[in-house]
């Protein structure tokens, strides 16, 4: 950020076109590097803000998130302005500097000030070591801004254990299924699985059908009679040898997915089998995912969140 500010001053003082072009190229690199702040903002929005909201602190998520989006637009405009250095209009640089580059640097600088003097002191006061550890662990999935930390921080085991207690207390006594990315009651999980817009069928490692979803619009017939049945018995004899080959490949580890698509009357159906494995790579079973993509294949253009249109609800 300091380098960007210095470059803007040096560009103003450039004594030749060649010097201006060289400095402009360096400015482009700085702007692209600054765009990496996107990871930092995503970590705040998706990890830090939810943690603060659990303590009733909602100010940062409602105010800062909007400022993040403003900075994103400024960075996008800066990158677009510098996309063609050879044709960059030197005589228009002053206008661009005042309208795009300087506001970008100022907005990021102001956000850093708010983070260091307001957000982080508040977060340090509210969050436990276990919560910081959770944020740190999940940050890896999003990435870090400009550099990757080399030191691994881990709180005491006692504070980690406190996390589980807090989760149980927050559940108000309800029995919840604990998963790495959260927890659900059996009812919540069942409704989620039956609401997703495709059919799922799970076959365990012994080729036995153990589960299927019960969505509103089924693609293929499923009934409870198939539960406990060998999956080979659920297919026509002419295709059983293909099913067995897929399962052999999954169990051997030579394949992890097998996609197919068919025309079913006037519908376009996509069917895909996925091998499920544990962390050690041991085969757990196969998941069949079937989707009716007929309407989705017709989509064109965009329908963004802000163009939300209510549909008539069908009971």
């Amino acid at each position: 950020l300091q380098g960007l500010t210095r470059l803007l001053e040096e560009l103003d003082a450039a004594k030749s076109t060649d010097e201006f072009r060289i400095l402009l190229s360096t400015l482009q690199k700085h702007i692209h590097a600054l765009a990496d702040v996107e990871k930092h903002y995503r970590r705040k929005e998706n990890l830090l803000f939810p943690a603060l909201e659990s303590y009733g602190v909602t100010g940062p998520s409602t105010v800062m998130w909007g400022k993040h989006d403003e900075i994103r637009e400024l960075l996008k405009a800066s990158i677009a302005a510098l996309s063609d250095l050879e044709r960059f209009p030197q005589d228009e640089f002053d206008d661009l500097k005042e309208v795009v580059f300087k506001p970008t640097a100022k907005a990021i600088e102001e956000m850093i000030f708010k983070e260091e003097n307001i957000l982080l002191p508040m977060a340090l006061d509210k969050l436990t070591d276990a919560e910081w550890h959770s944020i740190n662990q999940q940050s890896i999935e999003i990435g870090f801004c400009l550099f990757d930390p080399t030191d691994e921080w881990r709180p005491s085991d006692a504070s980690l254990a406190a996390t589980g207690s807090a989760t149980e207390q927050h559940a108000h006594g309800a029995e919840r299924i604990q998963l790495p990315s959260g927890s659900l009651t059996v009812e919540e999980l069942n409704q989620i699985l039956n609401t997703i817009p495709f059919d799922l069928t799970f076959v365990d490692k012994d080729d036995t059908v153990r589960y299927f979803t019960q969505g509103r619009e089924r693609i293929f017939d499923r009934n409870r009679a198939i539960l406990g049945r060998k999956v080979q018995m659920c297919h026509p004899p002419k295709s059983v040898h293909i099913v067995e080959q897929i399962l052999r490949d999954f169990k051997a580890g030579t394949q992890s997915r097998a996609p197919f698509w068919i025309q079913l009357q006037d519908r376009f159906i996509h069917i895909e089998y996925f091998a499920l494995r544990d962390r050690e790579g041991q085969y757990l079973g196969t998941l069949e995912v079937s989707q009716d993509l007929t309407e989705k294949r017709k989509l064109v253009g965009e329908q963004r969140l802000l163009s939300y249109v209510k549909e008539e609800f069908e009971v």
Side-chain angles (χ1 to χ4, degrees), residues 35-298:
D36 206 38
V37 77
E38 168 68 14
K39 297 173 186 173
H40 175 61
Y41 293 161
R42 284 171 57 205
R43 287 167 59 217
K44 288 168 61 182
E45 293 163 355
N46 297 301
L47 302 177
L48 184 56
F49 290 172
L52 287 172
E53 287 164 9
S54 69
Y55 289 91
V57 180
T58 59
S61 55
T62 55
V63 177
M64 281 191 171
W65 202 319
K67 293 297 181 182
H68 292 171
D69 287 341
E70 291 177 12
I71 293 171
R72 287 172 172 128
E73 291 302 316
L74 286 167
L75 281 166
K76 190 185 299 182
S78 297
I79 292 171
L82 292 165
S83 61
D84 192 347
L85 294 180
E86 292 301 319
R87 297 183 181 181
F88 194 93
Q90 186 171 350
D91 58 342
E92 296 180 15
F93 178 73
D94 285 344
D95 290 339
L96 284 169
K97 182 185 73 173
E98 295 301 322
V99 175
V100 179
F101 301 135
K102 286 179 69 174
T104 301
K106 183 180 179 182
I108 296 175
E109 187 174 20
E110 288 178 348
M111 181 57 69
I112 292 173
F113 178 85
K114 292 173 183 175
E115 290 171 351
E116 293 180 345
N117 293 276
I118 302 173
L119 179 66
L120 292 179
M122 180 193 304
L124 288 169
D125 180 60
K126 295 287 186 183
L127 305 186
T128 65
D129 279 359
E131 288 167 326
W132 280 116
H133 177 66
S134 176
I135 290 172
N136 182 55
Q137 291 296 100
Q138 296 177 76
S139 292
I140 297 171
E141 298 178 8
I142 297 175
F144 298 90
C145 176
L146 297 179
F147 78 99
D148 292 328
T150 56
D151 297 330
E152 182 178 352
W153 174 75
R154 182 181 177 85
S156 66
D157 291 339
S159 61
L160 281 176
T163 306
S165 300
T167 302
E168 293 171 9
Q169 184 178 2
H170 181 70
H172 301 296
E175 183 179 352
R176 303 185 72 86
I177 301 170
Q178 297 295 325
L179 301 169
S181 54
S183 65
L184 298 162
T185 65
V186 172
E187 177 64 19
E188 291 167 345
L189 179 59
N190 187 51
Q191 291 305 320
I192 288 172
L193 291 169
N194 288 338
T195 301
I196 52 179
F198 38 81
D199 293 343
L200 303 178
T201 301
F202 172 65
V203 178
D204 71 12
K205 64 180 180 181
D206 298 319
D207 303 345
T208 302
V209 179
R210 293 299 180 188
Y211 171 81
F212 61 90
T213 55
Q214 297 175 292
R216 293 176 61 189
E217 298 181 10
R218 295 215 55 87
I219 298 173
F220 301 110
D221 291 334
R222 291 285 188 275
N223 56 68
R224 291 183 177 84
I226 69 169
L227 298 177
R229 193 181 187 193
K230 292 298 182 182
V231 68
Q232 291 87 343
M233 303 300 296
C234 301
H235 290 266
K238 64 181 180 180
S239 63
V240 169
H241 68 290
I242 301 297
V243 173
E244 291 181 335
Q245 183 62 59
I246 292 171
L247 294 174
R248 281 197 298 271
D249 290 341
F250 283 2
K251 292 174 183 178
T254 58
Q255 298 293 324
S256 291
R257 54 188 293 265
F260 306 94
W261 47 96
I262 60 173
Q263 287 290 154
L264 190 63
Q265 297 179 355
D266 59 345
R267 295 190 297 166
F268 180 82
I269 307 299
H270 188 274
I271 307 158
E272 190 157 8
Y273 299 99
F274 296 92
L276 303 185
R277 309 184 197 282
D278 62 19
R279 291 185 176 182
E280 286 70 42
Q282 297 298 312
Y283 177 73
L284 297 175
T286 292
L287 183 69
E288 179 191 83
V289 181
S290 301
Q291 304 178 67
D292 184 345
L293 298 180
T294 308
E295 296 303 317
K296 290 184 174 62
R297 294 181 87 198
K298 299 176 184 177

